């Protein structure tokens, strides 16, 4: 479902990734661990195209979505609109000024999956951190992703909300998605992930 | 108990300003002397001519309130010129701001082109635009509206583009990952985020434009500025004072109203 081979990336002469490999099967939940600056975020950003790799191959069997530590919803819009924006990639411009009814219906389904139907019309800025992160996951679902890349999805959340989000990611892997989550808590990784991948700090730091 | 530096520590010597500072000060003084001469700046002339001003004041009081109705009507025209000048520039300012901001446009040539157009429109004063449009549509409020639309597009477009530049990169990236195109990112990440700032800047410009339309009136674009001009030409200073009081009222009302709404927007 996701195959990364020999990924290389450097920023201004500093090598961050030097031949990174990872492959994830459908239904598999992989936790990515490693010290600050070891290039975990860079791997994920290369996969979704927010960074251009210097070399190597990235193969995604379908559609990759990303979830961020800082969540990155549009705080002034309601949860439903934020989830609908996941569908933009398949909407032509002239249909994306106002989200069409079928997209809104699909988005409601995604909100139901993350347990937030009743908050659909609340502004995201008014939701708690944990709820916001679940809206962001619903946005990934509305993107019809089969690969979810989560960059420290629970680092800003309290333990209870963190467990809720981890359970949700685990359940999505159970539905057959490939899930990669960057984590800083080894216990969470051991509890929820099928496999733990350690990244080493680049030597020439 | 007192603290003294141990004898071994050398106290840094006080430094005199560098020679370049003296040169800058000298140039500054010379330019001011030249400017003083060129503008015929003369406190003596002001003191000698105080009688003229006293006559003027004597003639202007008491104000002639019989023109109040005419004055208020003209003030409404002035307000309308400022209003249309602001609202009709919205589509142009928005299009150019979207092209000029690096949050919404990635093509460098498009950004540069939009910025060039904006700075041209901004650097031509509205009065100059008004004089140009008068040759096309004649003296009157319409020329004033056109002038404001052009100048305000330049100013407001730049302010809006800056607001977009400063918008949070995160939501933009998040929407980009969903496969959204540039215009879709602008529509669903940038604009919803910056809307309160854009609205605040719009109200600020409305405020400025109403005041500008007054000056355009002096240049022949109608409204209350035109009445003030006429009163001066006819030496009816008592009428002029009435007009000026109405202008004061207009400016305060618009300023307060726009300030109130801006505060509610939190912008
Ligand atoms: N756009 C960029 N420009 C320059 N350097 C960058 C850029 N993005 C990342 N880096 C550098 O690449 C290195 C790896 O960054 P990355 O964010 O991938 O690490 P990380 O493993 O996610 O760390 P953390 O645990 O702190 O999130 C860091 O040294 C960082 O400074
Ligand atoms: Mg990181």
């Amino acid at each position: 479902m996701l195959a990364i081979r020999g990924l290389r990336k450097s920023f201004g002469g500093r090598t961050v990734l030097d031949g990174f490999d990872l492959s994830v099967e459908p239904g598999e939940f992989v936790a990515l661990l490693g010290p600050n600056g070891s290039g975990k975020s860079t791997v994920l950003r290369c996969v979704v195209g927010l960074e251009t790799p210097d070399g190597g191959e990235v193969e995604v069997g379908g559609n990759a979505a990303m979830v961020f530590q800082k969540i990155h919803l549009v705080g002034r819009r309601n949860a439903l609109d934020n989830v609908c924006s996941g569908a933009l990639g398949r909407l032509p411009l002239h249909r994306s000024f106002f989200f069409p009814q079928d997209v809104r219906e699909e988005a409601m389904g995604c909100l139901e999956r993350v347990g937030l139907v009743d908050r659909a019309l609340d502004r995201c800025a008014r939701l708690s951190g944990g709820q916001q992160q679940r809206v962001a996951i619903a946005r990934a679902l509305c993107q019809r992703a089969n690969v979810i890349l989560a960059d420290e999805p629970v680092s800003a959340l309290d333990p209870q909300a963190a467990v809720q989000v981890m359970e949700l990611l685990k359940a999505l892997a159970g539905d057959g998605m490939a899930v990669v989550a960057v984590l800083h808590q080894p216990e969470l990784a051991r509890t929820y992930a099928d496999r733990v991948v350690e990244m080493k700090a680049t030597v020439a730091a | 108990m007192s603290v003294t530096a141990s004898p071994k520590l050398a106290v840094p010597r006080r430094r005199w300003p560098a020679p370049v500072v003296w040169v800058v000060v000298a140039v500054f003084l010379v330019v001011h002397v030249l400017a003083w001469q060129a503008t015929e700046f003369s406190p003596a002339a002001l003191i000698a001519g105080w009688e003229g001003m006293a006559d003027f004041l004597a003639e202007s009081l008491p104000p002639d309130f019989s023109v109040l109705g005419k004055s208020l009507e003209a003030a409404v025209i002035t307000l309308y010129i400022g209003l249309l000048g602001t609202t009709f520039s919205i589509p142009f300012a928005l299009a150019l701001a979207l092209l000029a901001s690096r949050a919404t446009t990635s093509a460098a040539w498009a950004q540069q082109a939009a910025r060039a157009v904006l700075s041209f429109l901004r650097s031509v004063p509205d009065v100059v635009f008004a004089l140009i449009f008068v040759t096309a549509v004649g003296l009157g409020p319409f020329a004033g509206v056109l002038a404001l639309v052009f100048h305000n597009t330049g100013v407001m477009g730049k302010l809006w583009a800056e607001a977009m530049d400063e918008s949070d990169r995160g939501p933009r990236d998040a929407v980009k990952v969903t496969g959204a195109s540039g215009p879709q990112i602008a529509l669903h990440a940038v604009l919803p985020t910056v809307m309160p700032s854009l609205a605040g800047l719009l109200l600020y410009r409305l405020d400025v434009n109403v005041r500008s339309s007054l000056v355009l009136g002096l240049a022949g674009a109608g409204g209350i500025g035109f009445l003030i001009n006429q009163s001066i030409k006819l030496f009816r200073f008592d009428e002029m004072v009435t007009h000026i009081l109405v202008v004061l009222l207009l400016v305060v009302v618009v300023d307060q109203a726009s300030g109130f709404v801006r505060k509610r927007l939190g912008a």
Side-chain angles (χ1 to χ4, degrees):
Chain A
M1 185 71 69
L2 171 66
I4 303 171
R5 281 183 290 271
L7 193 65
R8 286 187 296 107
K9 178 74 187 174
S10 47
F11 292 105
R14 279 191 43 237
T15 301
V16 176
L17 299 173
D18 194 10
F20 178 80
D21 300 296
L22 178 68
S23 81
V24 187
E25 297 302 312
E28 195 179 19
F29 188 157
V30 173
L32 203 54
L33 264 61
N36 291 135
S38 55
K40 306 178 296 294
S41 301
T42 305
V43 169
L44 303 195
R45 291 172 65 85
C46 283
V47 172
V48 295
L50 288 176
E51 301 283 357
T52 319
D54 297 336
E57 276 174 51
V58 174
E59 226 176 83
V60 180
N63 198 342
M66 184 143 171
V67 173
F68 303 82
Q69 175 184 356
K70 291 190 178 157
I71 302 169
H72 295 334
L73 296 167
V74 177
R76 288 175 27 78
R77 306 190 92 188
N78 64 35
L80 182 61
D81 283 335
N82 270 283
V83 175
C84 285
S85 70
L88 285 173
R90 57 178 185 274
L91 287 177
L93 183 60
H94 68 91
R95 288 189 72 216
S96 54
F97 286 87
F98 300 98
F99 292 115
Q101 191 59 23
D102 54 322
V103 170
R104 289 164 62 86
E105 275 165 22
E106 184 172 345
M108 281 306 279
C110 299
L111 277 172
E112 188 175 28
R113 183 74 180 79
V114 303
L116 286 172
V117 189
D118 53 328
R119 309 305 296 272
L121 296 181
D122 285 4
R123 276 187 179 200
C124 283
R126 301 233 315 263
L127 301 177
S128 74
Q131 290 167 337
Q132 289 186 32
Q133 194 59 289
R134 278 147 64 204
V135 172
I137 292 172
R139 177 171 63 188
L141 295 177
C142 195
Q143 196 185 328
R144 298 184 185 161
N146 34 21
V147 176
I148 291 197
L149 305 160
D151 193 359
E152 305 191 31
V154 299
S155 294
L157 306 185
D158 68 55
Q160 211 182 338
V163 163
Q164 232 175 351
V165 166
M166 291 303 293
E167 296 276 1
L168 179 57
L169 289 174
K170 176 88 187 157
L172 294 178
D175 293 350
M177 292 178 129
V179 180
V180 180
V182 172
L183 297 171
H184 274 302
Q185 303 93 325
E187 335 73 77
L188 283 183
R190 274 193 299 274
T191 313
Y192 292 98
D194 304 313
R195 185 151 61 93
V196 175
V197 173
E198 290 263 4
M199 290 191 66
K200 294 191 186 60
T202 33
V203 193
Chain B
M1 195 189 132
S2 66
V3 181
T4 42
S6 73
K8 272 179 239 157
L9 277 178
V11 179
R13 279 214 285 151
R14 211 188 297 277
R15 276 181 38 197
W16 284 98
V20 62
V21 175
W22 296 113
V23 174
V24 169
V25 170
V27 169
F28 185 80
L29 286 176
V30 168
V31 171
H32 273 73
V33 170
L34 291 176
W36 178 290
Q37 288 169 350
T39 56
E40 294 164 22
F41 194 92
S42 161
L46 183 61
I47 294 165
W50 73 273
E51 276 173 20
M53 231 156 69
D55 285 351
F56 167 79
L57 280 177
E59 273 177 54
S60 63
L61 293 175
D64 177 1
F65 283 117
S66 68
V67 290
L68 188 61
K70 226 171 72 179
S71 184
L72 286 172
E73 255 171 57
V76 171
I77 301 280
T78 294
L79 177 69
Y80 286 167
I81 295 174
L83 181 74
L84 291 188
T86 312
T87 48
F88 285 173
S89 64
I90 291 176
F92 307 109
L94 186 64
L96 285 166
L98 285 169
L99 280 173
S101 169
R102 61 191 128 75
T104 46
T105 300
S106 47
W109 64 267
Q111 276 181 35
Q112 291 306 326
R115 272 159 206 242
V117 173
L118 287 174
S119 43
F120 168 74
L121 294 175
R122 199 166 59 242
S123 55
V124 178
D126 38 22
V127 179
V128 174
F129 274 126
L131 295 175
I132 295 171
F133 285 120
V134 160
T135 63
V137 300
L139 285 174
F142 184 44
V145 171
L146 289 176
L148 283 182
V149 168
F150 273 69
H151 182 69
N152 189 57
T153 295
V155 180
M156 200 160 75
K158 164 144 194 279
L159 295 173
W160 280 2
E162 278 171 358
M164 293 177 195
D165 282 343
E166 283 158 23
S167 72
D168 187 4
R169 160 150 225 133
R172 255 144 63 196
D173 278 351
V175 171
K176 188 175 171 198
V177 168
T178 70
S181 64
Q184 287 175 324
I185 296 173
L187 206 54
H188 290 286
V190 181
L191 286 180
T193 310
V194 299
M195 203 45 91
S197 328
L198 301 196
L201 291 167
L202 177 77
L203 286 167
Y204 158 70
R205 286 307 301 172
L206 173 66
D207 190 354
V208 173
N209 285 336
V210 169
R211 275 175 277 158
S212 299
S213 78
L214 208 82
V215 179
L216 295 181
L218 287 171
I224 197 159
F226 187 63
L227 290 190
I228 292 177
N229 198 0
Q230 268 189 328
S231 305
I232 293 175
K233 279 186 184 147
L234 301 172
F235 299 103
R236 290 300 307 268
F237 298 128
D238 50 347
E239 286 183 3
M240 188 194 74
V241 170
T242 306
H243 299 323
I244 288 181
L245 289 175
V246 169
V247 164
L248 219 61
L249 179 76
L250 174 68
V251 169
V252 168
V253 166
V254 173
D255 181 72
Q256 290 296 311
S258 107
F260 174 76
V261 179
R262 268 185 282 166
K263 206 167 275 165
R264 293 309 276 298
L265 284 168

